[in-house]
Amino acid sequence: MAGNTLRFKTNYAVSSKIEPFYKGGKVQISRDEKYIFCTCGPRVNVLQISDGKIVHSIEQDDQEDITSFSLSPDDEILVTASRALLLKQWDWKQEKCTRSWRAIHNVPVASMTFDSTSTLLATGGCDGTIKLWDIVKQYCTHNLKGSSGVVHLVEFHPDISLLQLFSSSLDCAIRIWDLRTSKCICVLESHYSAVTSLAFSPDGHTLISSGRDKICTVWDLVQRKEKRTVPVYEAVEGVVILSANEDYSQLGVKSKDLHFITAGSKGVLRVWESSTARCVFTQTLPSAPVSSPEQTDGDPLSLVYCLPLPLSNRLATITAEHNILLYQLPLLSVQQQFVGYSDDILDVRFLGKEDTHIVVATNSSQLKVFELATSSCQILYGHTDTVLSLDVFRKLSMFASCAKDKSLRVWRMDPETGHVHCVAQGHGHSNAVGSISCSRLKKAFLASGSQDCTIKVWDLPDDLPAVGEEPAQLVTRITEKAHDKDVNSVAISPNDKVLASGSQDRTAKLWSLTDMSLLGVFRGHRRGIWCVQFSPVDQVLATASADGSVKLWGLHDFSCLKTFEGHDASVLKIIFVSRGTQLVSGGSDGLVKLWTIKTNECVKTFDAHQDKVWALHGSSKDDLMVTGSADSNIAIWKDISEEELVELQAKQEDQILKKQELSNLLHEKKYLKALGIAISLDQPHTVLKVIKEIRQDEEGPQQLEKTLLRLRQDQKESVLRYCAVWNTNARSCLDAQAVLQVLLTHLSPDDLLQFQGARTHLEGLIPYTERHVQRITRLLQSSMFLDYMWQKMRVTGAKDSGELQGEEMDASPQGIFILDKQSEQANTTHAAQQQEEEKDDDDDDDDENKAPDSDEEEEEESISTSKSANRQAGKAVGTNGVENRGRISSEESSDEEDVMEISTSKSTVPTPCVMTDAR
């Protein structure tokens, strides 16, 4: 089955990830047009336009969502506003917060913008107020009141000498504020719905506003009047004015009049002439579905932002599905596409002869093809509903897709350009098509399984259309009613002779592809089957089920050969690797597991996803696999079995040598080098061991101080990080505090804050330090109480407390606690005789005669009570004679337990002594 040289896979590592970087909200492009800034929850991600990589991620410490942000025109300052009502100023290139202050707004900030000089910042709040901030001098300069509701739009007039600010709120009006007088000098009313964007002409005399009321308004800012209303017949989200210095004749611009581009709910760009209110150009999307020439409002293709890139004469649009598209003017040709958020990943496949691309099906009607080397993406339009499954024709650089729209499509990728286009489509199912499988040999056909419980086999035409031609129609060869419930998975065998299907009815079936006759049924799963796969070398079928198990079946007798159990939830996808000797499974628990078939052993469990792993596929060379999850993440895994083995052996040898050297250095008291080696191992326990050795030295504090101060800054950062860990444990907290004492004594706060993660580590140290202080305080209080009681108590029959003053009390436990019964009786008799003598001697004083009598009564009463209690205690504790010590807090140290041992242990005391208050 497998050659002798075959090595089992033991481990995979994530070599790259495609993660969501934009989940809605504001988008801004830097002035130099190199970076795109966009929000993603508590982060502002900075995307490099040239390669599509995330180069910076500005994250809030409090993990509060960012409500708005603004980048200064000089590309130096980034200011963010969060739900915590804080404004933060960032050096975004260093990912460092340089300043934070209260926003003064009573509710979150909804909008903000810089003026052209990068010195004034305007913030519009949800409380209807606008505040202006001097970024250089760091104070609030204006508080503008008068807007009604949320101020969702603020813009400075491009001519800063005018000192004018434009704003819009829920009343749909545009207000002009004079910053010299802090008053609203004009209200422009024309829109009946939210104003979405403002665009100023180059001379600053004309303003164009767009709104969701399906109109654009041209304003004369000199006379502050409405010049013209342009009906655009769609909700407009963005407007951009075209430059008069460029040739836009290809966009229908024939005159020198002001022209502008609108982007809105219909998903296409339109060019309008402001003087005539006429549309001179409408963009066509060649890859859009042909069946819907007029898209309706709310379409997923709708555009939510339109941003100009004047330096490169480009245009950026952001779609409702969080895709960012860059168009080159004047042709409006798509130059780059970035996918900000993919929602649930439902299926993914490697594509291309060298697996250079992956095609992804998400919870969307669009398909996305990523080039792995550059992360650039193509967005494919064709289906009208969610795409559910994919499969590839490996030898033809083609793949097939099926969707909820009851159709399936075949796509071909040009191996030279990487461009993908649809070459065939098929309709015939009466319900959503949930699974598809392509032929494995050169003869091209495919099979599909649907929620209508049928399986169809389709023939692919010999001559496929070229780019720009209409897709060919797939012809159904045969249709079979296969199951009683939804068909979740179909798979064609490696020799193209048989077909397997898995259904929600808990069964898998084997069919002949020649006439779709039933060959056998696989029964054994307790719940529906999500995936079926043929072994590439053996006559074996693998099935994955919602019962959390994977089963292997023999194709000859349809018996269950093996069962693999380990997932805590449904197993959604499986593939064979290592020439059919191993399996990889992905489940609803977010885990990916590697199994060895021969031993039924789960070799490794990979945890890289936070939600269901719907997608799983292996590369043709068997060295990579790709997984996709409902958490919107796509992970590319690399087989590192051999590399890891070599690295692990080298690492182990290196660690053994370092530990031996560390032991020698500690023996020679070369603490600095020993501590350096321990830090290089990145093992906090080893570093703690070295710290303990240093502190046990005769000159421990001096040696510790001398050693720590000679460390490099990166080593001090590591030690500070380790201290945060040590301080959580009562056994190692003293060592952590000793290290912290040296660092805090000899390093200034500014130096400490330069350490990476210093703020987080120091904040983590505070609660545990307070807890240790409280514990030690309680221990000191307890010991002081015991000391006080020790000084104020005497043994029955001993000298009077007045006679003991100034004498040193014998602290020996034997003289106090160890008494037998005879000595107890003798002491009692002796005490009675002594009290009788005292009574005779002090006959003349009635008051003094009464005191010993009362003491005697108390002592006798105490003795009898104590004996009775001891008899009951002896019955309770049993033969060992040790009392229950009660509940002792886990935080109390062994010293505290020793103190309690003295006062409560009765293992050597048959009858305890009686102690009374020495009054």
Side-chain angles (χ1 to χ4, degrees), residues 615-628:
L616 174 64
H617 193 228
S619 65
S620 56
K621 294 182 179 179
D622 203 26
D623 59 339
L624 297 174
M625 71 174 180
V626 59
T627 57

Side-chain angles (χ1 to χ4, degrees), residues 179-192:
L179 301 183
R180 292 186 177 89
T181 61
S182 298
K183 293 182 179 179
C184 177
I185 58 175
C186 183
V187 179
L188 306 178
E189 295 180 335
S190 170
H191 292 279
Y192 297 95

Side-chain angles (χ1 to χ4, degrees), residues 437-438 440 447 489-502 508-513 519 522 531-544 551-556 558 574-577 579-583 597:
S437 181
C438 300
R440 304 305 177 199
S489 178
V490 291
I492 295 175
S493 64
N495 60 4
D496 283 351
K497 290 185 178 179
V498 292
L499 171 74
S501 62
K509 295 184 179 181
L510 192 67
W511 310 84
S512 171
L513 276 172
L519 300 178
F522 306 95
C531 184
V532 293
Q533 284 289 337
F534 284 100
S535 168
V537 291
D538 291 332
Q539 294 190 4
V540 171
L541 180 73
T543 58
K551 291 181 180 289
L552 286 184
W553 310 83
L555 298 183
H556 291 297
F558 310 106
I574 47 174
I575 58 171
F576 282 91
V577 294
R579 301 182 195 170
T581 60
Q582 290 182 294
L583 279 169
I597 293 175

Side-chain angles (χ1 to χ4, degrees), residues 18 61 208 233 281 291 347 422 430 494 497 530 532 641 850:
I18 300 175
D61 294 335
I208 298 178
Y233 309 108
F281 177 83
S291 58
D347 208 353
C422 181
S430 61
K497 290 185 178 179
W530 280 111
V532 293
S641 303
K850 293 179 181 178

